Amino acid sequence: MTDVAALAKEREQLFRDLFSGKTPKRVPVTNPATLEFAIQYYGEDLAEAQWDVPRLEAILDKFCQDFPTDTTPIGSLRLPAFYQMLGSKAIVMGSGGFMQHPEVVGLLPEEYDDFIAAPYDFIIDTVLPRLYTELDAEPSQKALVLAKAMKAYYDDYACLGQIRDRVNAKHGLVAPMVALTEAPFDFMADFLRSFKGISSDVRRYPDKVLAACEAVTPIMIKKGKLPVPGVLGFTFIPLHMAPYMRDKDFEKFYWPTFKTLVEECVAMGQNVQLFVENDWMRYLDYLYELPENTIMRFEYGDPKVVAEKLGKKHIISGFYPVTLLQTGTEEQCIDKAKELLDILAPTGKYWFQADKSIISADKEGKVANNLRAVLRYFMENGSY
């Protein structure tokens, strides 16, 4: 076995142990900087590079060489060809080259009953043509547009997957298989009613919101299923609306279908990783109820309280503030790493990920230098 193959096997074992509830040899490390960051850091044009997928291989290769990590740092990249071909209003490229999700409305208030009766059909027939304008066409044209867009999608992501596999093999990295889904209430907010719309609806049409969340739950479960469920894969669920809700509304509208979603994903034999966005400290008792070894990446909150309340049952991640990499000295950044190791590593279930992804590279290179020092510190000092 080569040194790189042995390194890959060792890293894979870290995640096998972590995801199955065992204390790994050391704290696994994931680089919070994404491929978008790398494109800019190495002086490439972000908008142009995303249209030329083979060009990304040299960037990702150097990125993995320069920044220590256990997993492939591709991150949040959404390739634009698919979205442009569909005339997307839901995912669009901004002037800086970043793919963004603006506030959109795919479902009108007076259409709740039709949606609840047949949510999948309503999404296909009504929501998609509203949010992807090239699908607002007669059937043969719609089929042609969709076929071309899906061909571009599969070509681009197949190429990116091959790049990832070659880079992983070269650097001994791990790439857990990931499926993406949403909490039913968040899906209603993100793509159907908008954040503003759903916040109004819980007061104006509470019964319809409840019924809609229940109706869409089977679709969210199906979307969260991995092609081959297993210990080295997980369903990723970013959590959006809960911190902006009243406790009684969270308990009534958000929690029941979200809990069902997580439980069903785990029942399929796969892990679940939650991106616990904003501040969920008032909901920790709810999070504790989720299946054992749910991965929870926290954006904000008190890591000591989270470790005490959740650390014995669940896998804890996040908390490291990426803003510190921009504002702090190298010493301050490493001191924060020491602090989180001291608090979270004793749980035996700590995975180093930052509080959010880093998508922009500063011209001065301060973020990159501090990030490199922090990643190296975790690699060298995270052993149990």
Side-chain angles (χ1 to χ4, degrees):
M1 183 181 295
T2 65
D3 290 345
V4 173
L7 180 59
K9 186 175 181 180
E10 179 181 323
R11 284 171 165 160
E12 180 181 305
Q13 192 60 48
L14 294 177
F15 286 96
R16 285 188 178 277
D17 289 342
L18 181 72
F19 292 168
S20 59
K22 302 175 184 177
T23 300
K25 183 178 178 181
R26 65 166 171 82
V27 173
V29 174
T30 288
N31 184 352
T34 63
L35 193 48
E36 291 98 326
F37 171 94
I39 291 167
Q40 301 163 83
Y41 180 67
Y42 293 116
E44 299 282 347
D45 184 274
L46 179 59
E48 291 181 6
Q50 293 176 91
W51 286 96
D52 186 4
V53 181
R55 177 177 170 185
L56 301 178
E57 182 161 5
I59 296 171
L60 184 60
D61 182 18
K62 187 166 178 54
F63 193 35
C64 294
Q65 179 178 326
D66 292 346
F67 293 83
T69 182
D70 291 318
T71 59
T72 323
I74 289 178
S76 60
L77 192 70
R78 277 175 163 159
L79 298 171
F82 166 77
Y83 295 103
Q84 188 174 87
M85 287 181 177
L86 292 178
S88 174
K89 294 163 61 177
I91 306 292
V92 298
M93 180 179 282
S95 59
F98 293 100
M99 301 300 291
Q100 300 173 332
H101 172 43
E103 183 95 320
V104 293
V105 174
L107 168 70
L108 303 179
E110 59 269 24
E111 296 170 331
Y112 261 114
D113 289 340
D114 292 336
F115 176 81
I116 293 164
Y120 185 83
D121 292 344
F122 189 91
I123 289 170
I124 297 297
D125 295 337
T126 304
V127 176
L128 291 183
R130 279 181 183 157
L131 301 186
Y132 300 89
T133 58
E134 293 298 318
L135 296 178
D136 188 11
E138 54 89 17
S140 61
Q141 177 63 20
K142 181 187 297 188
L144 180 61
V145 168
L146 186 59
K148 289 169 64 178
M150 294 308 298
K151 177 67 163 60
Y153 177 91
Y154 285 118
D155 285 351
D156 279 351
Y157 281 96
C159 182
L160 186 61
Q162 292 165 3
I163 290 171
R164 180 199 62 196
D165 291 344
R166 288 192 291 269
V167 171
N168 287 351
K170 181 176 180 180
H171 297 284
L173 300 175
V174 179
M177 186 177 293
V178 181
L180 171 66
T181 190
E182 284 195 292
F185 189 90
D186 284 334
F187 180 75
M188 294 297 301
D190 276 355
F191 294 102
L192 299 180
R193 290 294 298 128
S194 78
F195 279 25
K196 180 180 178 180
I198 200 72
S199 298
S200 173
D201 291 351
V202 297
R203 296 187 298 274
R204 299 176 64 192
Y205 320 109
D207 293 342
K208 294 184 187 297
V209 173
L210 275 177
C213 288
E214 291 169 359
V216 83
T217 297
I219 298 175
M220 296 297 98
I221 293 170
K222 184 175 181 178
K223 191 174 185 301
K225 184 177 181 180
L226 288 164
V228 183
V231 71
L232 274 181
F234 57 81
T235 301
F236 179 68
I237 309 176
L239 308 179
H240 302 317
M241 288 296 297
Y244 307 101
M245 301 175 71
R246 297 177 298 181
D247 290 1
K248 64 179 183 180
D249 289 339
F250 170 84
E251 183 177 6
K252 179 178 180 179
F253 297 102
Y254 195 101
W255 177 251
T257 50
F258 166 56
K259 184 171 184 280
T260 296
L261 170 64
V262 175
E263 290 173 340
E264 289 298 316
C265 287
V266 171
M268 291 188 286
Q270 57 200 53
N271 303 95
V272 170
Q273 179 176 182
L274 309 177
F275 181 22
V276 187
E277 297 181 18
N278 209 311
D279 188 345
W280 275 63
M281 293 301 291
R282 59 193 165 117
Y283 299 135
L284 294 186
D285 290 340
Y286 289 95
L287 293 176
Y288 183 84
E289 296 177 19
L290 295 175
E292 189 173 7
N293 294 320
T294 299
I295 307 159
M296 301 180 185
R297 179 184 177 185
F298 285 85
E299 184 173 13
Y300 301 125
D302 187 333
K304 291 182 180 178
V305 175
V306 170
E308 179 183 342
K309 287 197 169 188
L310 304 180
K312 293 181 180 180
K313 183 177 181 181
H314 298 301
I315 298 164
I316 307 302
S317 185
F319 287 119
Y320 192 96
V322 296
T323 53
L324 182 61
L325 302 174
Q326 185 177 32
T327 62
T329 64
E330 181 176 320
E331 181 180 6
Q332 289 171 329
C333 292
I334 290 177
D335 284 346
K336 188 64 177 180
K338 292 178 181 177
E339 176 189 329
L340 289 176
L341 266 179
D342 289 345
I343 294 170
L344 297 172
T347 67
K349 296 184 176 187
Y350 177 39
W351 175 7
F352 172 72
Q353 299 180 94
D355 64 344
K356 55 182 70 69
S357 297
I358 308 172
I359 60 174
S360 297
D362 59 317
K363 294 180 180 179
E364 298 79 14
K366 181 177 182 179
V367 171
N369 291 335
N370 283 338
L371 174 62
R372 192 180 293 109
V374 168
L375 292 171
R376 188 177 297 116
Y377 182 84
F378 273 101
M379 286 285 197
E380 294 174 356
N381 297 276
S383 297
Y384 283 103

